[in-house]
Amino acid sequence: MPTPTDQPDHPVVTRFAPSPTGDLHVGGARTALFCWAYARGREGAFVLRIEDTDRKRSSAGAAREAMRDLAWLGLDWDQGPDPAGGERGDHGPYFQSERLPIYETHLERLLEADRAYHAFDTAEELDAKRAAARAQKVAYRYDRAGLEVPRAERLARAAAGEPHVIRFRTPDRPVVITDAVLGEATLPAGEVDDFIIRKADGFPTYHFAVVVDDALMGCSWVFRAQEHFNNTAKHLLLQEALGFDHPTYAHFPLIMNPDGSKMSKRDKDKAVRAEVRQRGIEAPPPDSIDPGTFSAWLSDKKAQLDHDDLVRLAAALDVQLPEINVRDFRRSGYLPEVLCNFLALNGWSPGDDLEKFDNAFLARSFELGRVQKTAARFDRDKLLAFNLDAIQAMSPEAFLDRVRAHGERYHPDFLARLGDRQFELLVESSRERSKTLDELFRTNHWLLEDDERLAWPVTKPVRKAMFKGEPTGLSLLAEVRALLEGTEPFESGHLETALGAWAAEHCEGNLGRIAQPLRIAVTGGPVSPPIFDTLEMLGRERVLRRLDRCLESLSATEEAG
Ligand code: GLU
């Protein structure tokens, strides 16, 4: 079988061909990344094709999101739909649903050559045969019942509009698959049955469309996940029947959870369900999701909540959802360049223990010989550590810009509540500890909290900071109020000087004695950015309001016991 890519100067054209049936999975993103890198490193072209022939499951919205995700990752394509409108490249359309006349032409060729045939089996007939195979514990293969109908009759019935599919007439011989990562495998004769190439709805099946498109779009290299490996036999046979060259195939290992399970959407439901069970929660928190939906979901271990509901419920319970799709990583505040770097390491390595690199390096260095054969395990802690390192290596200005852009997209309410100076203080004081761009929005809810609703549950650290020692933190708080009222301007540096002097006088220079009670009073908890920044971010008025309410609330508690 000739492979055009055997010729060294054959142009490299790779393609990524997502089915827009949901969000782009990280595994898909990794395939796209490798396709992109291979083409970019060899002056080739990278094609994006949207495989939307499954009309029930595909959506234009999902295709748009996939393009957005790819663009966010920095993976630009030379041919494919142009998100700004129209398309790039001369081999379009790049949505398969718009290519039906093209598929028809090639189907016609197969029908004429008697390499394909109309089959009129009903769903009931096929179901019965499948059930019989199951009962006999043998693998089901289509028995070519369709071919018992004479050819002229088949053509006449199809022309008369009788519902039918078109099947490929699979030659009865072994098929050898050659894969640039996995090596060679031979499928014995009879393994591939007469599979369907056009469905009853008139749409081609994946196998047919992919073969026609790869050929017409000049895709000389086909990279995809290992789950498609066996499909390759069908594709090779179709290419032969249609007189197309064979591309070079490479199938990449899957990306799994560390425990070897599949990284799937279900993991998110699992994480929330585990928290609900552990806390013995029987009803959804107020303002989260519908109670009926909640109990139906809780009682069925396999049930999955609608994504928005899941996000709402997780937020109400403060559960961090495991990221599965590119969109999840983006929302969680990972940097796209870090995600690309990390994804590349899931299945490939440049050697020499090199782990940190950018997409330009990947494009220069990526080769199929170093792609691993076995599944990769997705190590979230390592990803988080990579992200932290990248954030720490950033300039304060770059971090500010990126956090602001992240906030504008995911936390507009947060930004709307803070002035520029407050926001800059928050970002700068959180920079060194931030593992993601999202973290500071998640951990600083105290800033958004309504002053009148802030509460001080008496947890262990609160008890220690407020009620212990002589004088107690609470009494120091009452005393420091006047200072806060009078300090002008109410700015971090100024507050530091003033409170330092105050501590020297009132608590033997031990600033911690007043800093922690103050922090609890103004944030409701023991953790926040440095106290002077925290105070400035809130502003005098809010600080005093919170202080007064805290004094009132905790004095009552202290008296009570
Ligand atoms: N549409 C297929 C998928 O998303 C693409 C497989 C291929 O690359 O051939 O799995």
Side-chain angles (χ1 to χ4, degrees):
M1 294 183 188
T3 301
T5 49
D6 290 342
Q7 304 149 26
D9 53 355
H10 193 279
V12 169
V13 181
T14 61
R15 88 310 189 260
F16 178 55
S19 304
T21 54
D23 286 343
L24 182 61
H25 189 272
V26 276
R30 203 259 332 252
T31 298
L33 177 66
F34 287 171
C35 291
W36 173 91
Y38 198 79
R40 287 286 168 272
R42 289 166 178 78
E43 288 171 35
F46 175 45
V47 177
L48 174 66
R49 180 174 69 230
I50 306 295
E51 302 207 325
D52 58 348
T53 53
D54 183 339
R55 301 312 291 154
K56 277 200 210 91
R57 298 178 58 224
S58 302
S59 80
R64 251 193 326 272
E65 283 297 328
M67 288 193 261
R68 245 178 245 160
D69 287 342
L70 292 174
W72 177 70
L73 290 168
L75 308 181
D76 53 332
W77 53 97
D78 309 292
Q79 295 178 37
D82 188 332
E87 58 188 31
R88 309 169 187 164
D90 302 328
H91 303 294
Y94 293 96
F95 280 85
Q96 288 187 327
S97 60
E98 294 170 15
R99 297 173 63 81
L100 297 195
I102 300 174
Y103 304 130
E104 282 306 307
T105 311
H106 294 280
L107 274 165
E108 233 9 87
R109 291 206 287 129
L110 290 184
L111 285 167
E112 257 163 41
D114 209 16
R115 299 297 308 268
Y117 57 93
H118 303 91
F120 302 90
D121 314 76
T122 62
E124 293 73 32
E125 284 163 351
L126 294 174
D127 284 348
K129 288 177 184 173
R130 271 192 211 101
R134 250 197 320 275
Q136 289 169 28
K137 296 199 168 38
V138 293
Y140 167 77
R141 304 249 189 288
Y142 180 65
D143 60 1
R144 293 199 152 157
L147 279 178
E148 281 157 27
V149 181
R151 184 159 189 260
E153 188 187 326
R154 290 198 303 262
L155 294 174
R157 282 166 67 179
E162 189 175 329
H164 64 273
V165 298
I166 297 180
R167 289 182 180 270
F168 179 60
R169 199 166 180 155
T170 301
D172 196 19
R173 59 167 183 73
V175 190
V176 180
I177 305 175
T178 309
D179 185 282
V181 171
L182 299 172
E184 216 176 82
T186 304
L187 255 77
E191 194 69 17
V192 182
D193 65 0
D194 284 3
F195 56 95
I196 296 175
I197 52 179
R198 191 179 73 185
K199 297 176 276 186
D201 65 2
F203 276 73
T205 56
Y206 154 68
H207 303 299
F208 191 74
V210 87
V211 163
V212 170
D213 291 347
D214 284 343
L216 300 192
M217 294 176 185
C219 304
S220 42
W221 269 259
V222 169
F223 301 162
R224 57 191 175 200
Q226 263 174 29
E227 62 203 4
H228 286 294
F229 181 77
N230 279 340
N231 291 335
T232 310
K234 293 178 177 160
H235 303 172
L236 293 170
L237 291 169
L238 278 173
Q239 283 151 5
E240 240 169 46
L242 288 162
F244 294 149
D245 286 337
H246 299 301
T248 293
Y249 285 97
H251 289 87
F252 300 140
L254 297 183
I255 302 182
M256 306 292 225
N257 283 317
D259 66 3
S261 63
K262 217 170 147 197
M263 272 179 87
S264 95
K265 274 203 311 237
R266 284 182 195 288
D267 297 350
K268 299 186 193 175
D269 288 82
K270 234 164 99 182
V272 181
R273 200 175 268 123
E275 179 76 12
V276 166
R277 290 254 157 80
Q278 203 218 329
R279 282 162 53 179
I281 295 171
E282 278 163 14
D287 302 331
S288 59
I289 69 169
D290 170 67
T293 310
F294 177 85
S295 47
W297 168 79
L298 191 59
S299 58
D300 175 1
K301 234 171 54 191
K302 290 217 171 89
Q304 284 182 273
L305 277 179
D306 160 275
H307 192 257
D308 289 343
D309 275 353
L310 195 60
V311 169
R312 255 194 304 267
L313 184 59
L317 297 171
D318 205 17
V319 175
Q320 177 79 354
L321 291 175
E323 298 86 1
I324 306 290
N325 300 317
V326 172
R327 189 141 67 119
D328 304 331
F329 289 94
R330 185 174 185 182
R331 183 192 298 272
S332 290
Y334 287 93
L335 305 171
E337 64 272 29
V338 170
L339 187 57
C340 284
N341 177 182
F342 186 73
L343 282 178
L345 290 175
N346 275 263
W348 178 80
S349 71
D352 295 333
D353 289 333
L354 186 71
E355 287 206 307
K356 301 272 177 73
F357 47 81
D358 60 12
N359 280 358
F361 172 89
L362 181 69
R364 282 197 306 279
S365 325
F366 181 74
E367 32 158 331
L368 297 172
R370 298 195 65 90
V371 173
Q372 73 192 42
K373 292 188 175 55
T374 51
R377 304 274 166 127
F378 196 84
D379 180 348
R380 285 169 197 284
D381 293 338
K382 184 161 174 173
L383 171 61
L384 213 50
F386 270 38
N387 213 55
L388 174 73
D389 290 349
I391 285 177
Q392 290 186 341
M394 251 181 227
S395 70
E397 296 74 26
F399 183 62
L400 177 64
D401 284 349
R402 295 183 76 159
V403 172
R404 197 194 301 278
H406 181 82
E408 275 162 4
R409 190 179 171 96
Y410 296 107
H411 305 281
D413 51 333
F414 206 107
L415 290 190
R417 288 282 294 275
L418 300 191
D420 279 352
R421 161 90 185 139
Q422 280 175 304
F423 183 63
E424 282 164 27
L425 256 182
L426 174 65
V427 173
E428 185 44 33
S429 59
S430 313
R431 187 163 61 88
E432 286 194 348
R433 285 173 295 136
S434 289
K435 295 196 190 74
T436 67
L437 300 178
D438 199 65
E439 198 171 315
L440 67 92
F441 295 102
R442 260 190 304 117
T443 53
N444 289 296
H445 275 292
W446 56 271
L447 258 169
L448 297 198
E449 197 77 61
D450 187 337
D451 299 334
E452 304 306 321
R453 285 183 60 178
L454 196 68
W456 294 267
V458 185
T459 56
K460 224 168 143 190
V462 170
R463 185 179 301 283
K464 179 163 176 253
M466 297 299 201
F467 303 147
K468 297 269 148 61
E470 191 49 53
T472 63
L474 206 57
S475 56
L476 288 171
L477 263 187
E479 283 182 53
V480 86
R481 189 189 188 287
L483 176 92
L484 293 171
E485 203 172 2
T487 303
E488 194 64 57
F490 201 79
E491 277 175 13
S492 180
H494 207 77
L495 286 163
E496 183 168 2
T497 315
L499 275 163
W502 188 89
E505 205 178 305
H506 293 78
C507 33
E508 294 156 355
N510 184 355
L511 193 63
R513 288 281 283 120
I514 185 63
Q516 196 59 356
L518 253 180
R519 185 190 311 283
I520 290 170
V522 302
T523 70
V527 187
S528 83
I531 185 62
F532 312 111
D533 293 346
T534 300
L535 293 173
E536 184 182 338
M537 277 181 245
L538 280 167
R540 189 196 318 273
E541 209 177 302
R542 297 184 77 191
V543 162
L544 293 178
R545 183 77 204 113
R546 289 178 174 206
L547 196 63
D548 290 343
R549 289 196 54 241
C550 174
L551 284 170
E552 197 180 316
S553 154
L554 290 183
S555 307
T557 313
E558 194 180 28
E559 272 160 33

